[in-house]
Amino acid sequence: MTKARRFCFDVRTMFFAAAIAAVSIVGIATSTKHADAFVCRYQQTLGGAIGDFNNAANWTTCNSAAPSSGDDVVIASGTSTRLSADTRVNVLNTSGTIDALEWDFMVTSTATINNGGVVTSTGGDLGFGGTLLVGNAGVNALGSTTGTINVSSTAQFLGSTTKLELGSGTTTFFGSFTLAQSATINGNTGKLELRGDTVIGVATLNMGSATVLFTGGGTQSLSYVAVNNTGFGAVKVNKTLATTLTLSGNGTSTGAFTIESGTFSGGSSIFRVGGNFSVNESGTFTPSTGTIEFNGSGAQSVSSTNFAVLTINKSGGTVTPLVNTTSTGNFSLLGGTLSLGTKAFDVGGNFIVNGGVFTPGTATTTLNGSGAQSVSSTAFMGLVIDGGTVTFTGDTTSTAGVKVMSGSLSLGTNRLNIGGDFVVSGGTFTPSTGLLVLNGAAAQSVSSTNFEDLTINKSGGTVTPTVNVTSTGNLVLLSGTLALGTKALDIGGDFTVN
């Protein structure tokens, strides 16, 4: 079937225009506008053949015509109809099936799809100018294979058997969008554009390769009101500058998450990302007190500079920052790999590695919290302590050296291996009962005055204190050279040269 003519509509500009009642709509060749509105009832026998929506013989109480602009339409459960022309009606209440095929179908006022109602098209565009309710009784669906769907007002999808079927076109909700009570989105290759507030309940999101876009010109919220184990696929925040999308409740993006423009605020929730996390030049990420968790099974890149709480919990693959990165709260590496490369990493909370792999590359990690920070067993390249009280809870290595600039560093009962200089300048080193091992292959300087147990075990080069040094426990020189110069050395335990 080839369409001779079709009308195009843009719900952003033309729904409910004051002059619409007096203007003919180009392309509705078979729909004659009635002088008065009618409540048109589809009269096909239940379970009968699929009738022509635009054939007057298939309707009752419709002024001997097919429904047109201004008419209300009622379709009973178990019946089916197809369009044969572009069609515009006022109110729709369907419990049956409407297949628009390649034709455009527009409801200028409210639409209710319930008790087994289905509205679909192959390539035709579907438009709703008023409130849309896809109910929770029976199997209900709205979708298009290749056409667009536009809803200008509030849209609600309710019920465990209610579905929104995304095709390869764009589906846009200009008002608030609610997916609740185990309703389902089945994605394809198209786009789901959300311009109002979004509420996700105990729903199923089978997004396929569809992209979700948040594009509202004002403040938007993304609210997860129940635990949801599924998530959007690829997500793009493409909002007007100085407007914000705020997360409420824990959510997921299984694909790439991109902030192209506008602001995304993490609120106090957990947002899981399975793909790359990108913040473009015109975009802003405001972490608030929320958690970002990277949980993809493959490689993930990160271009955001700032997080509140950062968690990596991957079944495989590597997270690679593309810029210097800060986590003002806790950092947890529970699975997968974090590879810093050359990018600095600042952490203001606890530094936890439990099941994952931390690969520092040539980068420096700075612990700069204002309170207590704990560090689990980890291998760093360069390590800087610049604020707060840092306590090791496991054996730790810093290949390029340690600097205590402010705050304090406490070893507890653990071992700290240092391959570079050990500098205490403005901060405090508390050895407790721990062991410090200097094991670099080249020259190393030491500016700490106090140790518990100290071991020098170098493959080459010399350790040179720049201050007087005390080891209250044992000092063991296994290999390499210790050159005191003019600095005093006090030893409270055994002094072993072996």
Side-chain angles (χ1 to χ4, degrees), residues 104-128:
D104 293 341
F105 181 59
M106 183 177 182
V107 181
T108 58
S109 188
T110 60
T112 301
I113 305 170
N114 200 13
N115 295 304
V118 176
V119 177
T120 186
S121 76
T122 304
D125 296 337
L126 306 176
F128 302 87

Side-chain angles (χ1 to χ4, degrees), residues 234-246:
V235 174
K236 293 183 178 181
V237 178
N238 191 4
K239 296 176 57 60
T240 305
L241 295 178
T243 64
T244 300
L245 170 67
T246 300

